[in-house]
Amino acid sequence: MPATLSGIGPFDHLVARGAVAEATSAAAWLHAQLDVEAALAAAQAAAGEIPADAGEAIVAACRTLDLDLAALGAATERNGVPVIGLVEQLRGAVGDAARFVHHGSTSQDIMDTAAMVVAVRAGALTVDVLDQALGLVDALSTSDGATPMIGRTLGQFALPTTFTNVTGRWRRGLVEAAGALRTLAAELPVQLGGPVGDESSYGPHGAEIAAGMAERLGLAVPDGPWSTVRTPIARLAGAWGVVGTVVGDVATQLVALMASDVGELAERADDAGGSSSMAHKRNPVAAISARAAALQVPGHVATLLHAAGGHDFERASGAWHAEWPALNSLMRAGGAAADWLVTSLRRVEVDTDRMATNVRVAEQERNG
Amino acid sequence: MPATLSGIGPFDHLVARGAVAEATSAAAWLHAQLDVEAALAAAQAAAGEIPADAGEAIVAACRTLDLDLAALGAATERNGVPVIGLVEQLRGAVGDAARFVHHGSTSQDIMDTAAMVVAVRAGALTVDVLDQALGLVDALSTSDGATPMIGRTLGQFALPTTFTNVTGRWRRGLVEAAGALRTLAAELPVQLGGPVGDESSYGPHGAEIAAGMAERLGLAVPDGPWSTVRTPIARLAGAWGVVGTVVGDVATQLVALMASDVGELAERADDAGGSSSMAHKRNPVAAISARAAALQVPGHVATLLHAAGGHDFERASGAWHAEWPALNSLMRAGGAAADWLVTSLRRVEVDTDRMATNVRVAEQERNG
Amino acid sequence: MPATLSGIGPFDHLVARGAVAEATSAAAWLHAQLDVEAALAAAQAAAGEIPADAGEAIVAACRTLDLDLAALGAATERNGVPVIGLVEQLRGAVGDAARFVHHGSTSQDIMDTAAMVVAVRAGALTVDVLDQALGLVDALSTSDGATPMIGRTLGQFALPTTFTNVTGRWRRGLVEAAGALRTLAAELPVQLGGPVGDESSYGPHGAEIAAGMAERLGLAVPDGPWSTVRTPIARLAGAWGVVGTVVGDVATQLVALMASDVGELAERADDAGGSSSMAHKRNPVAAISARAAALQVPGHVATLLHAAGGHDFERASGAWHAEWPALNSLMRAGGAAADWLVTSLRRVEVDTDRMATNVRVAEQERNG
Amino acid sequence: MPATLSGIGPFDHLVARGAVAEATSAAAWLHAQLDVEAALAAAQAAAGEIPADAGEAIVAACRTLDLDLAALGAATERNGVPVIGLVEQLRGAVGDAARFVHHGSTSQDIMDTAAMVVAVRAGALTVDVLDQALGLVDALSTSDGATPMIGRTLGQFALPTTFTNVTGRWRRGLVEAAGALRTLAAELPVQLGGPVGDESSYGPHGAEIAAGMAERLGLAVPDGPWSTVRTPIARLAGAWGVVGTVVGDVATQLVALMASDVGELAERADDAGGSSSMAHKRNPVAAISARAAALQVPGHVATLLHAAGGHDFERASGAWHAEWPALNSLMRAGGAAADWLVTSLRRVEVDTDRMATNVRVAEQERNG
């Protein structure tokens, strides 16, 4: 039966949706590792640490290499890290330049730097998605912002306000979430330390090579190897925590305003939002999915911070490896949440009559 | 390039390994949903709520249905839940029995019960893995348990003990972890509530149908619908928390005893555990991976509990959906951790000479 | 100004309320440690490991000892664990029996067993609170259970049901939560291992002493020392996770039904629930506080599991100590949540007219 | 017996130590609320919204008010928030100015702004502590940085490096952690929205009043009310996550290097670090406590993010209240961890002979 599905994560429709899903796929991580090896070789060639033609050959091979994925999978199982198998295949593809591949380097340099590359890409894509959400919020504000509506605090009718009060908050949150990712992008540095993290394996030009890689990869120049003091990972956790918080809040408020008892917003039905038992229902599927995806964020943040804060010696014995799935799931869930939010905002209909009715009901209750 | 990888989760080698990975795949979840629809139809037929031949036709179709996965994926996006699309396809496959498919039922009944089915299967497979680990620990105890070794507390040499002190703890933990999963299996009930969770849509035989489904699916008979009070989900979190704790502890202790400075255990090298920069190294890849996988468990538990404890009205608007990826990732990570632990225990070599040396060194330090 | 408050945790009104707060206080933990030392001495005397009169003197001193708290605080800072300073003071109070105090024992035996004692007491008190909640729910069901109300799924009007559908779910959840704590109480064992966890320091009667302590303390007899494989801690996390989930769900549903837009339930105003800016408001303070307290549970569970799953060697270098505040905060938050829930249920008023109105509104919406 | 202890949190020696403990006490929160009321009155007086003498009277009363704590406690229980009772008492102390106290304001404005005030103070104190740690690390680097030591990756001997490789990482992490708190301090804004968060209750000078409060309180000027889109809370979670990660990493590495089997560092014994059963032991109490405190951080971050991302309508019904204890515990644990780290770094002794020995042992192992 659905055997072909066996490799796809269940519930990817919820937590691995949109552009970020592709940017955090297994293929994306392998691409990023090859990009890092290419940047390393190019920077080493520029610094005179490896011959120029070896550098060129390696860069070219990183672009065109047709990986043997079965072999790579087996090597990853064996080594606990994909880099070793990937370097073997890369060496096999560059002839005489083989000994200059991954020169002076170590798995952690490649994996950590690749993680930063993946994170910068996933972050940039999510900034785009958040900007789309912002545009939709602004359109709502333009069309219906002046509509009076009843404010509610602790679930209780409070005082009248207008819909702009709501969209204004959403705007401020979305601007800040995108800003957090933009700031983050400038803080994610190359990792370059070599076998024990002291840069000595890279010869006298370690700092120059790191800077060269940073330029080629669009990353920050590190202030030395960070290896086992994981501030970039913690900053990633923080920025995606901001994204999850904002999307979670906006989605929670969408869901609340779309409840039948409130009825001030709704997701346009089209063909979405059906019920298996109640044909009349119109479920706010996208807002609910945004909320469900955003609810994954805090747990991934906690796992990532736990891993990031427990690195021993010069390369951690488990805590490092534990970061990978947590980081990837964090970015995926945050990206999917933002993507579902855009879908919901696209579908939003404002029921200005209902807003007016609810203001009156609240007024009566307040006076009576 | 490695475009064919795009659907596979990165780091599955770490967190989606072993039998549990397959038992928690997208295909496994769809199978489970079909199994639940089959059990529902069979139980309804037995209770006289639907015609016997309709029941038989539905059961047969659930076994052989060739799902149109693209259509199912699109329907899941649209509806926020896979059940609706699946029921449509199932109805298309049973001719006149179509109107008896999913009779009186609702998405939550099918998804919650399917989750219990998946959980029972994943739990049973993990019990097997934990039992394998137990056998390997017992073999270690038999071969080398009497060897004196130095006990260490807070990382400091304390007093001599024997290796059985270590393996005995591991044994007790593994027995308890398997026991927690066995106990859990008997506590996971069918969900049967209908559209608003009051069983009324199932006619007068609701309790009988639930019991019939439980028998067919190997689940517990519920004491009424649990719908939005999520104790089975919280119990799942608890039991897998025990598994993660035990595997995490044993793996942490393996990693500690395999450190070069301690050197009392090692993972047999074979071809595993290489370094990209240091050919002489012999990394305890399996123990480290077990630890990294176990480190994912607490975060998934927290997400699952957060979702499970926030259900509103008769079906939650986001909290329910948020449970799915968290539950699945939890079982996958716990199962993968146990699987890696077995791999490590299979590779373990005990260095009794080093144990003796360390006892002497500690003795000297204590006396000097 | 309010300097006298400096030792009280802020927000204790939220997360350290009710009987559990007292049972998990600093005093309660010290009492429990003295109870464990007393039980150890009594069991050792009964087993013939220490003289009978020494045992009696120690038991008596544990009951009457007037601790020098300043000295104890300083010793705890110095040693990282309170037991050492407590044992010093206890030895000072028993004259010639001093050398039989804490005989063959180690800090971890006392702390772990004291944690179990505190947990059993906190659990029993919370069972009482949950039983009170159950009584209140049953009273609601008796008085108003037959009232028709509209069921809501994903926040949308679904089909009519009755209020018993709601209270029945709450009942099942509360029964299970109390049951989880009752089951747990029978699973929390004495820890008795001695300096390196192999029981050798307790002479030939280790198992007998452990059993004697268990009987005196109302704990389970251990199947050997568990020391660094932390299943009882993980089981605690699991059971309190069930409590938090159930209280969270019931409180979430109370808050939802008490929203102005729904208006089917309310907390009787009395003098509670005011607003600093809106005199007319009637906030469901207790339900909201129950929800806020329950929201603390998953994070504490995750911290506790992270600590519990990372124990190295024969006594963990940090992970053990990290369990204490997490465990205590977990039980406090869970207990406070249950206590606030009882307060809310005591205040609940059912608006059967509003329920009827909402059924009609939903009917109109469904048909129109 | 130790009944006087009943109000003190157990394990405060671990998680509520140092300057941050005082800055996050119940008294500190009440002070901060009074400071906010004072700043509000002063800014409103400056903007002409309230009479100048009323403003002065309120500011003066906020400085000198002798709160009736019992009454305040009862009011907090009743209202679910301390602000209402505090405003009552403040009004009672200012005579005719009473009606200008808390003018146009609402509980959330005061609590949220007070939280920012507490956070800025706790952050600044922790920056000092981190700077102390930095000074101690630099001193270590100066005295012993050039000492060769063996690098270890995945717990295995790798290649020789020097101690500066270790201290350099610690330096970079500590600089970044302090930097994260400094950046954060500039991002924490005044909350000023009034009853439903739209600023309308503050008259035409809302923005001016907010700016005036920001200046008086040392906070950032908000870009409008943020009320239920909780980016400042998420940013707090992120920055303290960086602190916890750095302290956790440094403490983990201290503990690892202080293990008997490694022996390259130790905490000077003095009278600290005893064992209740083994007089010869010298436990690295401070490093272990730093690690244990840092291990609390991720769980508090997750709770805080969960609460922060679930705010409904114009003021959340539970999620807002849930932030308070999580935020406070987060800052306390992070501050305590940093404080313990300083204690450990003060006690550190470097065993350069052992470093040399270990380099030789690793060399032999590598060659043999």
Side-chain angles (χ1 to χ4, degrees), chain C residues 65-92:
Chain C
L65 185 62
D66 193 12
L67 286 169
D68 175 344
L69 296 175
L72 187 58
T76 303
E77 283 261 324
R78 205 160 55 233
N79 301 310
V81 62
V83 176
I84 298 175
L86 187 139
V87 166
E88 279 169 7
Q89 295 193 28
L90 184 54
R91 283 189 173 136

Side-chain angles (χ1 to χ4, degrees), chain B residues 152-159 258-262 278 280-284 288 303 306 358 365-366, chain D residues 152-159 258-262 278 280-284 288 303 306 354 358 365-366:
Chain B
R152 295 163 180 93
T153 61
L154 311 184
Q156 310 303 302
F157 290 147
L159 297 175
M258 288 171 177
S260 291
D261 294 279
V262 176
M278 293 165 285
H280 65 288
K281 279 195 67 188
R282 212 172 126 185
N283 293 321
I288 281 172
T303 301
H306 259 297
N358 289 341
E365 190 173 295
R366 192 179 174 196
Chain D
R152 295 163 179 92
T153 60
L154 311 184
Q156 309 303 302
F157 290 147
L159 297 174
M258 287 171 177
S260 292
D261 294 280
V262 176
M278 294 165 284
H280 66 287
K281 281 194 65 186
R282 214 171 124 185
N283 294 320
I288 281 171
T303 302
H306 259 296
R354 184 68 181 266
N358 288 342
E365 191 174 292
R366 193 180 173 194

Side-chain angles (χ1 to χ4, degrees), chain A residues 63-90:
Chain A
R63 286 208 191 101
T64 57
L65 185 62
D66 193 11
L67 286 168
D68 175 344
L69 295 175
L72 187 57
T76 303
E77 283 262 324
R78 205 162 53 233
N79 301 312
V81 61
V83 177
I84 298 174
L86 186 138
V87 167
E88 281 168 7
Q89 295 193 28
L90 183 54

Side-chain angles (χ1 to χ4, degrees), chain B:
Chain B
M1 208 212 19
T4 55
L5 262 185
S6 66
I8 304 181
F11 314 118
D12 277 1
H13 75 279
L14 208 54
V15 294
R17 175 191 160 97
V20 171
E22 194 63 25
T24 55
S25 67
W29 276 90
L30 294 178
H31 271 293
Q33 289 169 56
L34 289 170
D35 290 347
V36 175
E37 293 285 0
L40 171 65
Q44 286 178 314
E49 287 283 328
I50 68 168
D53 56 352
E56 281 166 29
I58 295 166
V59 169
C62 287
R63 285 208 193 99
T64 57
L65 184 62
D66 193 12
L67 286 168
D68 175 344
L69 295 175
L72 187 58
T76 303
E77 283 261 322
R78 205 162 54 234
N79 302 310
V81 61
V83 176
I84 298 175
L86 186 138
V87 166
E88 280 169 8
Q89 295 194 27
L90 184 55
R91 283 188 173 136
V94 296
D96 291 347
R99 67 199 172 97
F100 299 112
V101 166
H102 193 68
H103 184 66
S105 194
T106 190
S107 300
Q108 185 164 8
D109 289 347
I110 306 306
M111 277 302 284
D112 279 352
T113 307
M116 300 299 110
V117 168
V118 169
V120 165
R121 291 172 185 169
L125 289 165
T126 302
V127 166
D128 289 346
V129 176
L130 293 167
D131 284 348
Q132 287 174 47
L134 191 60
L136 291 161
V137 167
D138 285 347
L140 276 179
S141 181
T142 303
S143 60
D144 296 295
T147 311
M149 68 183 290
I150 185 70
R152 295 163 180 93
T153 61
L154 311 184
Q156 310 303 302
F157 290 147
L159 297 175
T161 180
T162 63
F163 186 45
T164 294
N165 184 34
V166 175
T167 56
R169 281 197 313 263
W170 295 354
R171 157 167 264 287
R172 283 190 288 279
L174 291 165
V175 166
E176 279 213 55
L181 289 178
R182 283 196 187 95
T183 301
L184 175 71
E187 293 175 339
L188 298 179
V190 164
Q191 172 80 278
L192 196 80
V196 291
D198 61 7
E199 260 186 2
S200 61
S201 63
Y202 289 107
H205 303 109
E208 181 187 342
I209 294 167
M213 290 173 70
E215 194 189 338
R216 282 166 179 83
L217 294 166
L219 297 178
V221 178
D223 183 26
W226 37 284
S227 53
T228 56
V229 177
R230 310 293 288 171
T231 43
I233 298 295
R235 286 180 186 279
L236 271 162
W240 283 95
V242 174
V243 173
T245 298
V246 169
V247 175
D249 282 330
V250 177
T252 298
Q253 291 162 39
L254 282 167
V255 168
L257 292 168
M258 288 171 177
S260 291
D261 294 279
V262 176
E264 301 181 1
L265 299 184
E267 287 190 9
R268 243 186 311 278
D270 301 343
D271 58 352
S275 159
S276 76
S277 56
M278 293 165 285
H280 65 288
K281 279 195 67 188
R282 212 172 126 185
N283 293 321
V285 167
I288 281 172
S289 298
R291 192 161 135 61
L295 275 166
Q296 313 297 315
V297 166
H300 293 315
V301 165
T303 301
L304 192 54
L305 290 178
H306 259 297
H311 281 236
D312 51 288
F313 295 120
E314 274 63 65
R315 187 171 315 147
S317 49
W320 178 48
H321 311 71
E323 289 174 359
W324 307 333
L327 172 59
N328 213 52
S329 297
L330 170 60
M331 296 189 295
R332 288 195 154 193
D339 201 82
W340 273 116
L341 181 62
V342 165
T343 302
S344 180
L345 288 168
R346 277 215 187 98
R347 291 182 186 164
V348 163
E349 289 178 326
V350 182
D351 187 337
T352 55
D353 290 346
R354 185 68 181 266
M355 285 185 176
T357 301
N358 289 341
V359 170
R360 277 196 306 274
V361 170
E363 188 75 7
Q364 286 162 5
E365 190 173 295
R366 192 179 174 196
N367 296 333

Side-chain angles (χ1 to χ4, degrees), chain D residues 250-276:
Chain D
V250 177
T252 298
Q253 291 163 38
L254 281 167
V255 168
L257 292 169
M258 287 171 177
S260 292
D261 294 280
V262 176
E264 300 181 2
L265 299 184
E267 288 190 9
R268 244 186 310 279
D270 303 342
D271 59 351
S275 158
S276 76

Side-chain angles (χ1 to χ4, degrees), chain C residues 43-67:
Chain C
Q44 286 179 314
E49 286 283 328
I50 67 169
D53 55 353
E56 281 166 28
I58 294 166
V59 169
C62 287
R63 284 208 193 101
T64 58
L65 185 62
D66 193 12
L67 286 169

